[in-house]
Amino acid sequence: MNTDLNIVSQKQDRTFFRIAITLSIIVALLVVILNRKLIPVTIAIPDFVYFLPKLNAILNGTCSVLLLLSLYMIKQKNIQAHKNINITTFFLSSVFLISYVLFHYFIGDTHFPEGKPYRGLYFSILIPHIILAALVLPLILLSFYHGLRMNVAKHKKLVRFAYPIWLFVTVSGVVVYLMISPYYTF
């Protein structure tokens, strides 16, 4: 009987792994498509769209604090608080992703002007931010999945990589916003 449960669990893990990878690829492709303006905007830009970059920075900053609080809670062995905080962080990150996609659908990218001070610093933060944001999504999904299933060993193994990357992405997202926001032209 234990072997049967093990086989079912392994099948579920493989299925979720495929889902996580597929979803991550779809999100990455969607972001590329939107950044390249391959989907034309066919409606008027709603007023709320202009607030989305600030909302994204607020969401990223909040997620940064929550990730630190989550680490503190697990170090205190408060598993329920750790779990609740991570669910909240996951939800806020999902809202961020929707907001990010909406903004880039309507507005696209804002470019840091050439010749401005800190342009090199901006790109030295932005480039790893973008790369790591794309790479961390499947790690977050898999960490979340194993955490909810109380597969502690697998969760810990994934979190060793996912946590510092996710924290970097959320903090650097705020920094990128603060550096680029003076150059918004909308």
Side-chain angles (χ1 to χ4, degrees), residues 127-172:
I127 291 168
H129 169 81
I130 291 169
I131 293 167
L132 292 173
L135 294 176
V136 77
L137 182 56
L139 293 174
I140 292 169
L141 293 172
L142 291 168
S143 298
F144 197 74
Y145 168 78
H146 287 295
L148 288 176
R149 292 186 51 130
M150 294 305 293
N151 296 334
V152 176
K154 288 180 181 180
H155 176 71
K156 280 183 175 182
K157 191 174 183 180
L158 286 161
V159 167
R160 281 193 186 108
F161 297 100
Y163 180 84
I165 297 170
W166 194 5
L167 184 60
F168 172 82
V169 168
T170 60
V171 171
S172 62

Side-chain angles (χ1 to χ4, degrees), residues 9-178:
S9 180
Q10 288 174 351
K11 285 182 181 180
Q12 290 172 336
D13 290 356
R14 280 194 303 272
T15 299
F16 190 81
F17 178 81
R18 289 183 189 116
I19 291 169
I21 297 300
T22 302
L23 185 60
S24 299
I25 290 168
I26 290 169
V27 167
L29 288 173
L30 181 60
V31 169
V32 168
I33 288 168
L34 293 173
N35 282 343
R36 300 277 185 250
K37 290 295 204 184
L38 299 175
I39 300 173
V41 177
T42 57
I43 62 171
I45 300 172
D47 289 338
F48 74 87
V49 169
Y50 302 106
F51 177 71
L52 293 180
K54 186 177 285 183
L55 174 64
N56 291 345
I58 291 166
L59 290 169
N60 267 328
T62 303
C63 287
S64 298
V65 171
L66 289 173
L67 286 170
L68 292 170
L69 188 57
S70 171
L71 178 63
Y72 174 78
M73 287 301 168
I74 202 63
K75 296 272 187 200
Q76 298 301 311
K77 306 222 185 293
N78 189 339
I79 295 168
Q80 190 59 49
H82 172 75
K83 187 176 187 178
N84 292 340
I85 291 166
N86 284 333
I87 289 169
T88 303
T89 308
F90 186 83
F91 172 76
L92 291 176
S93 290
S94 299
V95 172
F96 164 85
L97 184 58
I98 293 165
S99 174
Y100 178 88
V101 166
L102 270 174
F103 178 77
H104 281 81
Y105 170 70
F106 284 108
I107 304 296
D109 283 337
T110 300
H111 299 282
F112 202 96
E114 289 188 34
K116 293 287 184 179
Y118 308 113
R119 189 169 195 262
L121 177 62
Y122 171 76
F123 283 110
S124 72
I125 298 168
L126 178 65
I127 291 168
H129 169 81
I130 291 169
I131 293 167
L132 292 173
L135 294 176
V136 77
L137 182 56
L139 293 174
I140 292 169
L141 293 172
L142 291 168
S143 298
F144 197 74
Y145 168 78
H146 287 295
L148 288 176
R149 292 186 51 130
M150 294 305 293
N151 296 334
V152 176
K154 288 180 181 180
H155 176 71
K156 280 183 175 182
K157 191 174 183 180
L158 286 161
V159 167
R160 281 193 186 108
F161 297 100
Y163 180 84
I165 297 170
W166 194 5
L167 184 60
F168 172 82
V169 168
T170 60
V171 171
S172 62
V174 175
V175 173
V176 165
Y177 167 77
L178 292 173

